[in-house]
Each structure stands twice: as structure tokens, then as C-alpha cells.
Amino acid sequence: MTALFLSLCVCLALALSNAAPAPHDVMIKDAPEEHPKGEEHHDAKPDRCKGIEFDAITPDEKGNTFFFKGDHLWKGFFGSAELSSSIFKELDDYHVDAAFRMHHQDDASVHDHIYIFLDDKVFSFYNHTLEKGYPLEIQQEFPGIPSHLDAAVECPKGECITDSVLFFKGNETYIYDIKTKIVKKKMWTHLPNCTSAFRWLAHYYCFHGYNFTRFHPVSGEVTGTYPKDARNYFMRCGAGFGHGGGAKQLRCSEVKLHAITTDDKGRSYAFHDAMYLRLDTHRDGSHHFRISRLWKEISGGVDAVFSYGDNMYIIQGGQVYIYKSAAHYTLIEGYPKPLKEELGIDGPVDAAFFCPKQDTVHFIQGQKMYEVDLAATPRVVKKEMPIPFLKIDAGFCDADGVKVFIGPEYYSYGSPMILAMSKISPQPQKISPEKFGCVE
């Protein structure tokens, strides 16, 4: 089993049920006794469950999320505050303006570094250690970006058009292209003034007061009912708070997948009932969302999902929906269409999977597997083969072979042909806490 598939497995937990200007002289070693915002320094720990406004929110390279307020921070979604300088020692006594974790895999010297902004300065940390040469003037590191920022958040390619950073100041949003350093300014007047911003599991949140609003990182569009109280979602505050309605982690024996796929941008998803999980962001946590959140036209569960080129095929009964997998999924005009018309096979199907570097999609119905060449016109079944199972729930194919899921177990085969030719099933592998994050 490849490392990629192992990384997919880790994430199937339904976790987290609740889940004035800065100083002009940033000489950290010689910090004045008076607090930079005119407040006296004190050791009293702030309580985020009392409804405070965060100064900044960012994950680190290991997926730990830091919530900054004044000269304190919280590590993670529960627990008490501690001094920021206990983790980022150069931040002694200082309030941060904004922070984000860089996403730019083309440049290992900056990828996954935390950037923290103070007045007109920017600090770069990796493994909580200040990088040599920092702090720098913001304009040196991010030309065209103003000082005294309110918030910042990373936006990887696939969610934005290119690897980008969104900077917020008042009602102005600056979209910074990391590679070209081109800045585009937008006025998202419908969005509240963000005092901090946070990307979590490919969703974007503007925090304002003790509330938050989810927004689209390309258009700034807000859909759904907002604002919402952050204490119900991003921290554990005990009685009177929470949104899960008593939801709990799935037991491993209860996990049943309906589809798994990875698109051409490397985004991986698992589907179960009317929910999906993003699998490739496991270091930052895991959470289930309704399928209709990303694929708006899909109501209820799916039978099968596979990706081919820059298209994602979602099958429900005898219908197929095809989405363009650009920055966000967009249904291609004219869809859904009958499965028979589009792919030459009658629905419903139990599973569908597509192996890398091939043009053939494999459909499974009962004890039979059908091959359809997506490069052919018209598309028709070109081969039919038996499989050694009465019925499966989901299938997935990567460079290491095929995985067949049946309830809380899966079986591994070197290729679709080996699956079809097998007379004896291999030893099943249990969906376990170590691999799937569920509970025994």
C-alpha cells in the first residue's frame, strides 16, 4: 500500500464534533516595560470561551493551530492560554496583527513556514524558530502589501487559481500571487472586517468579534447563514456550546464507504452517506461535511465517484454528474445525463475506479466488473469480467493497485486484472484506529 493511500486512510475520523497600532520599533530583545498597546503586561490568562476577538489564527507545519490574542495564544481547539513567547520566543509582550502558514511546494525554503505580522514587520518561523534575516519590512517580503494588517490566510493552487495569500485591511482584500508577486486588490464590502482569517480543511473563515463567516476565497461570496459563534465550532467551551447535536466519532465497525477518489489537483475525498471527508489535509484534522457543500447540485448520497483528467464524475442511480475540478467544482452545462448515454453502462453501479495513466474506467455491479474506454467514441463496455465478491461498497485504484472496500474491511490487489482472476480473496485488512482514526 502506498504512502499516499496510507495518508488517505488516516483521515476517516468524524472528529472535532465542536471541533491600536503595534510598536514601531520591533527590537524584541529590548522590549519596553510598557505594553505596546498601552496596556500593562499581566500574567492573567484570557479565556476564549468568554467571547473574545482573536488577533490571528494559523496552523504550523505539523498541523497544530494557534489562536493569538494579545501576548497570549492557544495551541489547538481546547486547552488554556499561554504566553506567545513560550513558543515563539521573539514575540515577547507583542500583539500580532496577522499570521498564516505559507503553501508553496515549488519553494521548499518558504513552504510550510509561519509568517507573523507586527506593524510594518514580518517574521518567518519554521519549527517555531525564527528564520535567519528576519524580521523584514513587509514590503521587502510581500511587495504591494500594506502594513498594519488585520488578517491573512494562505490559499493553495486548486482552491485559488495559483498559490496565493489573502491579506485583509479594513474592507480591502489584497490577493498576492506567491510566484509572480502580482497583487490584486478587491473590495469585498459584503464581508465583515476580518480581524483574523483561517483556512481549515479547504474552507475559509473570516473571524470578527467572537463570530465567524465562511467565504469563498476567489469571489468572497458568502453562502449559508452567517455569522456564527466561533465558540460553537472552533473551541470546546462546555455546557451551552457546540453544534454537533451529540455527534460522536464513528466506531471502526460502523465505517462504510461509498466512494474514494483523487482529482487532478491532488485533492482526495471519501464519500459515505450524504457526507464527504477531505483526506489529504489530515495533519490539520478531519471533519465530515455535506456533499452539497462542494457539489451543490448533489442531494443525498452517491453510488460511485471517479476522476479523469480535470473532470470528476459523480454517479447517482442512472445519472452521472460531471464537474470541472478547477479552483472549485463547477457542474458542466447539460449535466446530469443518463449514465447509459454518457458512459455506455446501465445504472446503478456499486463502485467505479480509474487507475493512473490509463483511459479505462472500471465499473462494478454485483459480481461483475466492466471496462469502458473513456478515450473511445462512443463509449461502450469493451470487457466484462467476474470478481470474487457478491457485492462491494467502494473501489479505489492508485499506483500500488486496487483496494476494494466492503463494510469495515478492505482487500488489496496488484491490478484490476488480478482482482478479476483471483479465485481466493486475500487477507482482509480491518479499518482500524491507526489507519482511519475511528474508535474501536
Side-chain angles (χ1 to χ4, degrees), residues 3-45:
L4 170 61
F5 186 68
L6 286 174
S7 71
L8 303 185
C9 295
V10 172
C11 309
L12 296 180
L14 301 182
L16 289 173
S17 62
N18 302 311
H24 291 280
D25 181 15
V26 190
M27 296 297 292
I28 302 301
K29 298 298 183 180
D30 300 318
E33 293 184 3
E34 184 179 342
H35 199 282
K37 288 194 177 181
E39 306 165 5
E40 292 184 2
H41 176 76
H42 56 83
D43 293 327
K45 292 183 178 181

Side-chain angles (χ1 to χ4, degrees), residues 415-431:
S415 69
M417 184 59 68
I418 294 174
L419 165 63
M421 295 177 63
S422 295
K423 302 299 182 183
I424 301 176
S425 298
Q427 185 69 28
Q429 301 176 62
K430 293 285 187 181
I431 290 179

